[in-house]
Amino acid sequence: WMLLATSSATTPLLVVDVASRRRRRNNTKAMTTSSSSSSFQMGRDTLRVDFELHRENRLRLAQAMEEKINAEKKTKKERNLVLVESGKQTQRYGTDNEPLFRQESYFHWMFGCRESDCFGALDVEKKKAILFVPRLPDEYVVWMGKPLSNEELASKYKVEEVRYADELEAYLEEEGVTALVHVLSGTNTDSGLPTLKANVPSSSKVEIDESILFEEITLLRTLKTKREQEVLEYASKISSQAHVAAIKSLRPGTMEYQLEAAFLHHIYNQGGMRFSSYPSICASGNNAAVLHYGHSGAPNDKECKSGELVLMDMGGEYHCMCADITTTVPVSGKFTSDQKIFYDGVLQAHKDVLANIKPGAVWTDLHLLAERSILSMLQKLNVLNESSSMEEMLENRVCAVFMPHGLGHLLGIDTHDVGGYGLRNSRDRILKPGLKSCRTAKALEENNVMTVEPGCYFVDALIDDVNMSENVKKCINFDTIDKKFRGFGGVRIEDNLVVTKTGCKSWTNVPRETEDIERVMSGELVWP
């Protein structure tokens, strides 16, 4: 107000500016308020996700189920119901401490419902969805706030009806006379664990089918809609920014956990991401050779030292949609000559794969393509003997010693998203070193969302493996490893992308070239 009083020349401009900002704020507030009953948004500067996303998924599922059921003609029932169960609120061991609830992924895909201990039903023929929510005690409002009414929940989640969970049994008794109830029954091929099967009340005399739903919904989860892609792109955008923030904060003497803290602060403070996609990996020096470092037994607690590389594998999650990005940078801000050759070899593998992704490309072929660049780089560094031919090394699976993991994975509501194997359009897992670690062997389809993450590491347990075949041993120059690369760690470079009609689009925006990384770390280059 003092500025307004001191200069009549600036008064009109300042008044307009303040007024326009107020209008924008009020308009944003009005938009958020009017849409809050049917959308998710953490704040006016974060992405608004319309629950139409989940209604669209239910309609896709109903159509797929109807086509499959009509093709198989297995049942004499007139109608079909899908029944899924949400995740349950847990407590920490024997205490009343409640970890922050995160929804079960199949249930989220169908409903987007943030509440725990629910059921969801979908009438396949009528395309009608019903949510069954817990009947909360009167004292709930005192401790947790006033819950939404069933009518408000129905409006929020764009379902036709909301009932209480204790009414599910009566609903099934009524509908089960003419309807076959389909429930999830399948195995996650990444974890080997069974999916959450809806707990149908034991007294309900309904006919249950476990043979159709899992495959149909899992196939649909591998093909992201435009609305799903928008959320995944947002998660990657904010996570990319957070990686840059962590890179810029790095100095010799920085603790690994401080890099994690910089990342987590940015995704929450700037992106409204209350969850990360997985425990952050901030691995300096030899820790970078531990593929899933950062767990509770190795909690990012080492000091980053000059001369080392730091591998950071971190991703944020927004509305249960995941990002998964990896960067590798020098602690000192400058790559050594060997580090640059090593890094550029992995980067070339990354570029080669991105240039060859398109519908129909087979994932394991792309993995082998990445191996070629990595093997060539290792020969350049005299880690592998120049006398070994490329075809010989590929045939004997030499690269599995240095890249034991797969090229990447499907990405979505889970970091390692479902659908890698076991579906009617899947290919069998190739049981060879390196290739057996690929989380899928599928031929890519338009609207698959994938990570591409070639890497190369010096893992003592693999280098010193007493069971290593002679065909592999003769390709490796162990003297070079012992003299120059013991304790080196490794490099991984990971993007998130969607497969398009003609290629792919990466959603990851971080410095990749060694020169760009060095300039960002010195402050010379502003990124993006």
Side-chain angles (χ1 to χ4, degrees), residues 32-327:
T32 304
T33 302
S34 64
S35 61
S36 62
S37 62
S38 59
S39 66
F40 167 79
Q41 186 177 28
M42 284 295 284
R44 66 172 177 265
D45 294 325
T46 63
L47 180 69
R48 186 178 78 84
V49 183
D50 196 309
F51 283 109
E52 184 66 23
L53 181 157
H54 302 284
R55 194 181 79 88
E56 181 181 4
N57 282 344
R58 293 194 297 272
L59 294 176
R60 293 168 68 207
L61 179 60
Q63 179 180 346
M65 291 288 292
E66 205 163 12
E67 290 173 358
K68 183 71 171 178
I69 291 163
N70 290 338
E72 293 194 355
K73 298 178 180 178
K74 288 174 57 177
T75 179
K76 296 179 181 179
K77 293 283 189 178
E78 299 172 12
R79 295 169 41 245
N80 293 273
L81 290 177
V82 167
L83 182 67
V84 291
E85 185 173 356
S86 81
K88 297 182 182 297
Q89 177 63 61
T90 61
Q91 291 173 292
R92 186 189 293 171
Y93 307 119
T95 75
D96 63 353
N97 182 302
E98 293 188 351
L100 188 61
F101 175 72
R102 197 273 196 187
Q103 188 57 269
E104 193 278 330
S105 296
Y106 282 101
F107 196 87
H108 176 81
W109 185 88
M110 283 187 66
F111 292 98
C113 177
R114 308 191 71 77
E115 289 76 14
S116 65
D117 301 276
C118 300
F119 288 85
L122 173 64
D123 187 313
V124 171
E125 285 75 21
K126 294 181 180 179
K127 314 295 188 290
K128 176 184 177 181
I130 302 178
L131 264 178
F132 294 85
V133 301
R135 193 187 297 270
L136 301 171
D138 293 339
E139 60 268 23
Y140 181 93
V141 65
V142 177
W143 299 96
M144 308 295 281
K146 183 180 178 181
L148 297 178
S149 69
N150 286 2
E151 291 75 20
E152 289 170 325
L153 286 169
S155 175
K156 175 180 179 178
Y157 292 123
K158 293 195 172 182
V159 297
E160 283 68 30
E161 188 179 354
V162 172
R163 301 187 188 184
Y164 289 114
D166 57 25
E167 299 173 317
L168 175 62
E169 184 174 353
Y171 168 80
L172 291 174
E173 289 288 351
E174 178 183 349
E175 298 295 327
V177 175
T178 58
L180 178 64
V181 178
H182 298 266
V183 298
L184 279 171
S185 181
T187 300
N188 183 301
T189 57
D190 286 301
S191 68
L193 298 174
T195 55
L196 178 62
K197 186 189 302 183
N199 185 21
V200 179
S202 57
S203 58
S204 299
K205 297 181 176 63
V206 295
E207 185 179 349
I208 296 174
D209 182 90
E210 301 180 358
S211 67
I212 297 177
L213 177 59
F214 172 77
E215 183 168 42
E216 298 310 309
I217 194 171
T218 302
L219 281 166
L220 290 173
R221 278 185 60 183
T222 68
L223 301 172
K224 272 56 176 184
T225 65
K226 296 304 179 186
R227 288 187 173 90
E228 290 175 314
Q229 289 177 34
E230 182 184 18
V231 187
L232 288 163
E233 183 174 7
Y234 175 79
S236 291
K237 169 189 166 184
I238 298 298
S239 296
S240 295
Q241 295 171 359
H243 268 270
V244 174
I247 291 169
K248 290 166 65 177
S249 75
L250 176 61
R251 301 287 187 276
T254 300
M255 299 299 292
E256 292 169 335
Y257 70 80
Q258 291 177 309
L259 299 172
E260 177 183 16
F263 178 87
L264 294 177
H265 172 76
H266 188 96
I267 62 170
Y268 202 179
N269 184 267
Q270 299 297 314
M273 297 181 183
R274 204 171 186 191
F275 288 93
S276 57
S277 303
Y278 48 90
S280 297
I281 300 169
C282 295
S284 63
N286 197 40
N287 289 340
V290 181
L291 300 184
H292 283 174
Y293 179 76
H295 55 84
S296 60
N300 296 326
D301 58 354
K302 176 183 170 297
E303 180 182 329
C304 303
K305 297 179 179 179
S306 183
E308 296 178 332
L309 296 175
V310 177
L311 185 157
M312 293 178 285
D313 188 337
M314 304 181 285
E317 178 181 298
Y318 191 79
H319 193 55
C320 293
M321 296 286 187
C322 300
D324 182 1
I325 296 170
T326 306
T327 53

Side-chain angles (χ1 to χ4, degrees), residues 244-465:
V244 174
I247 291 169
K248 290 166 65 177
S249 75
L250 176 61
R251 301 287 187 276
T254 300
M255 299 299 292
E256 292 169 335
Y257 70 80
Q258 291 177 309
L259 299 172
E260 177 183 16
F263 178 87
L264 294 177
H265 172 76
H266 188 96
I267 62 170
Y268 202 179
N269 184 267
Q270 299 297 314
M273 297 181 183
R274 204 171 186 191
F275 288 93
S276 57
S277 303
Y278 48 90
S280 297
I281 300 169
C282 295
S284 63
N286 197 40
N287 289 340
V290 181
L291 300 184
H292 283 174
Y293 179 76
H295 55 84
S296 60
N300 296 326
D301 58 354
K302 176 183 170 297
E303 180 182 329
C304 303
K305 297 179 179 179
S306 183
E308 296 178 332
L309 296 175
V310 177
L311 185 157
M312 293 178 285
D313 188 337
M314 304 181 285
E317 178 181 298
Y318 191 79
H319 193 55
C320 293
M321 296 286 187
C322 300
D324 182 1
I325 296 170
T326 306
T327 53
T328 307
V329 301
V331 175
S332 67
K334 291 285 186 180
F335 289 90
T336 67
S337 58
D338 282 346
Q339 286 173 348
K340 187 177 188 304
I341 294 169
F342 194 89
Y343 180 94
D344 283 345
V346 178
L347 181 60
Q348 189 59 53
H350 186 267
K351 290 177 177 178
D352 290 346
V353 172
L354 263 60
N356 284 276
I357 286 180
K358 60 183 177 181
V362 176
W363 192 248
T364 44
D365 291 345
L366 295 169
H367 179 101
L368 292 171
L369 177 64
E371 286 190 349
R372 289 178 176 272
S373 293
I374 291 170
L375 290 168
S376 293
M377 172 268 290
L378 291 173
Q379 284 186 313
K380 188 174 182 179
L381 288 170
N382 198 34
V383 172
L384 298 177
N385 298 316
E386 288 188 2
S387 59
S388 301
S389 72
M390 181 62 65
E391 298 311 314
E392 175 190 9
M393 291 188 291
L394 289 171
E395 175 63 28
N396 291 317
R397 308 303 307 130
V398 172
C399 200
V401 176
F402 303 96
M403 188 173 86
H405 61 72
L407 176 64
H409 49 83
L410 291 151
L411 181 70
I413 299 174
D414 292 307
T415 307
H416 297 154
D417 213 19
V418 294
Y421 294 101
L423 305 177
R424 58 177 174 265
N425 67 346
S426 299
R427 294 170 180 243
D428 292 337
R429 189 184 295 270
I430 300 174
L431 300 177
K432 294 181 179 180
L435 290 168
K436 67 182 180 183
S437 297
C438 286
R439 295 184 183 274
T440 187
K442 73 190 287 351
L444 294 176
E445 301 172 86
E446 184 182 357
N447 298 320
N448 285 155
V449 172
M450 311 294 298
T451 71
V452 170
E453 49 181 307
C456 189
Y457 320 83
F458 293 97
V459 182
D460 288 344
L462 297 177
I463 295 167
D464 300 331
D465 183 8

